[in-house]
Amino acid sequence: MDETVDVAIVGGGMAGAALALLLAQRLPALSIALLEQHALPISHGDALSVPSFDARSTALSFSTRNILADMGLWTTLTEYVQPILQVHVSERQRPLGMLMRAEETGLPALGYVIENRVLGRVLLQAIRQQARIAVYDNTSVNRVAMTAQQAQLAISATHGAEKILSTKLVVVADGAQSVLRQQLGIAVSEQPYDQHALVANMVTELPHAAVAYERFTENGPIALLPLLDCENKHRAALIWTLPDQQIDTVMQLSEADFLQRVQEQLGNRCGRLLRVGERHCYPLALVQAREQVRSRIVLAGSAAHHLHPVAGQGFNLIMRDCLAFVEI
């Protein structure tokens, strides 16, 4: 049976989920559909658990913390975030650096680091409690047709028949490599940085003392973000920017050689680096959609713009975009 909603959000990641919640909370007259091609985990049993050594993490700015608090989520998230009380910025082989302290800003923290799986599951649990948000997971958008009054999405669930979802507004939030953006013929401007980001979690000899380190090197920036301890081990998240021609070599290093290379870049700020978890890497480019608004279509999140992680602003920009969208 075909259905109709006011807003259809395509993409159930953190951008799409946050936007759906903000819309439902601030504009309660709207009916909202959230569509995701993968399964969305909703069980409460594994939603919030002890820290995972290899979990990917996100740095939240204080303004994002305030948005999440306004959404009623921060109380739940508080025990799972690691506050950043100081940020230490330096340049390799230069004697001076810069130290920013939360106490000098009058804020309780400069930011917070949280594991993506925790943030994602808290968002999804809140969505499941919102009667105005209809969730379609394991669902693909096959095509979009526009009429004078609405957009019509031809959707199909796994092994299901195709049906039409009609909506007044389609929000494209299916990521930097957006399939729907491509289907709609929306071009992007892309500026490769000729770099890859390597991310991994580390075990350090000394506690991080809630300090985030960012260091500029001849090959690109490297950062170490504080994480909650796990199994009585001190953890930090590594984000290392490397030239394209070096990434394969570094990814293939043995654990001992990898730890030594990172130690050479960062020094002994957290003592010896004792262990590294699974390493992930991805190419870096500035990607911007040339059309971010079209009749009955809005692009959001990384589908609209995707940028270098050096300032840790990806998700924070997304949250400010979502807030501005709801206010408009």
Side-chain angles (χ1 to χ4, degrees), residues 272-322:
R272 291 184 302 118
L273 301 175
L274 304 177
R275 180 183 168 193
V276 61
E278 186 175 353
R279 295 169 236 174
H280 303 270
C281 72
Y282 52 92
L284 297 178
L286 175 64
V287 180
Q288 291 180 296
R290 293 181 179 172
E291 292 177 85
Q292 296 189 11
V293 177
R294 185 186 281 185
S295 179
R296 302 197 180 279
I297 294 171
V298 172
L299 272 61
S302 295
H305 46 65
H306 187 66
L307 69 165
H308 200 290
V310 62
Q313 289 305 301
F315 181 67
N316 298 304
L317 266 180
I318 286 170
M319 290 300 288
R320 294 201 293 275
D321 281 354
C322 288

Side-chain angles (χ1 to χ4, degrees), residues 145-159:
M146 309 300 292
T147 72
Q149 291 79 31
Q150 60 191 4
Q152 295 181 331
L153 281 66
I155 64 175
S156 58
T158 306
H159 309 302

Side-chain angles (χ1 to χ4, degrees), residues 46-328:
D46 60 351
L48 300 176
S49 56
V50 296
S52 171
F53 172 68
D54 261 335
R56 293 278 299 275
S57 300
T58 291
L60 308 177
S61 68
F62 193 75
S63 64
T64 296
R65 176 254 179 229
N66 289 341
I67 297 172
L68 292 168
D70 289 342
M71 295 167 68
L73 303 179
W74 192 249
T75 300
T76 302
L77 293 170
T78 299
E79 63 179 299
Y80 300 98
V81 298
Q82 169 59 57
I84 300 173
L85 301 183
Q86 297 183 16
V87 175
H88 186 276
V89 182
S90 63
E91 186 172 357
R92 191 162 181 253
Q93 298 180 334
R94 295 294 180 95
L96 301 179
M98 179 175 67
L99 183 65
M100 293 176 279
R101 299 182 178 90
E103 61 191 35
E104 295 172 351
T105 68
L107 301 175
L110 294 170
Y112 304 85
V113 186
I114 187 168
E115 293 178 4
N116 290 1
R117 65 186 179 89
V118 174
L119 178 57
R121 289 180 187 271
V122 168
L123 289 170
L124 291 177
Q125 285 182 8
I127 282 171
R128 291 297 184 179
Q129 296 168 8
Q130 276 285 357
R132 287 180 298 278
I133 303 176
V135 176
Y136 299 78
D137 60 354
N138 286 313
T139 298
S140 299
V141 177
N142 303 323
R143 60 190 177 279
V144 179
M146 309 300 292
T147 72
Q149 291 79 31
Q150 60 191 4
Q152 295 181 331
L153 281 66
I155 64 175
S156 58
T158 306
H159 309 302
E162 187 174 271
K163 65 179 180 180
I164 300 299
L165 179 67
S166 298
T167 182
K168 297 176 184 176
L169 181 66
V170 179
V171 179
V172 181
D174 55 344
Q177 305 301 320
S178 170
V179 174
L180 183 54
R181 183 185 64 204
Q182 185 176 356
Q183 285 181 13
L184 292 167
I186 296 176
V188 298
S189 59
E190 186 167 352
Q191 176 188 332
Y193 289 117
D194 300 322
Q195 296 174 324
H196 274 66
L198 186 155
V199 296
N201 285 354
M202 317 285 289
V203 171
T204 63
E205 177 186 17
L206 302 177
H208 48 62
V211 181
Y213 296 98
E214 182 161 26
R215 179 154 244 222
F216 291 89
T217 77
E218 59 274 17
N219 290 320
I222 185 170
L224 203 61
L225 303 181
L227 292 173
L228 291 177
D229 287 354
C230 176
E231 298 176 350
N232 296 318
K233 293 181 175 64
H234 307 307
R235 293 190 310 151
L238 173 73
I239 305 97
W240 190 3
T241 304
L242 289 161
D244 289 344
Q245 60 269 27
Q246 294 184 18
I247 189 65
D248 289 340
T249 300
V250 175
M251 286 289 290
Q252 293 167 12
L253 290 174
S254 67
E255 182 175 34
D257 290 341
F258 182 84
L259 291 172
Q260 182 179 347
R261 286 282 292 272
V262 177
Q263 195 92 58
E264 290 170 357
Q265 299 296 315
L266 286 171
N268 296 315
R269 286 166 171 76
C270 291
R272 291 184 302 118
L273 301 175
L274 304 177
R275 180 183 168 193
V276 61
E278 186 175 353
R279 295 169 236 174
H280 303 270
C281 72
Y282 52 92
L284 297 178
L286 175 64
V287 180
Q288 291 180 296
R290 293 181 179 172
E291 292 177 85
Q292 296 189 11
V293 177
R294 185 186 281 185
S295 179
R296 302 197 180 279
I297 294 171
V298 172
L299 272 61
S302 295
H305 46 65
H306 187 66
L307 69 165
H308 200 290
V310 62
Q313 289 305 301
F315 181 67
N316 298 304
L317 266 180
I318 286 170
M319 290 300 288
R320 294 201 293 275
D321 281 354
C322 288
L323 189 62
F325 173 83
V326 172
E327 289 173 348
I328 291 169

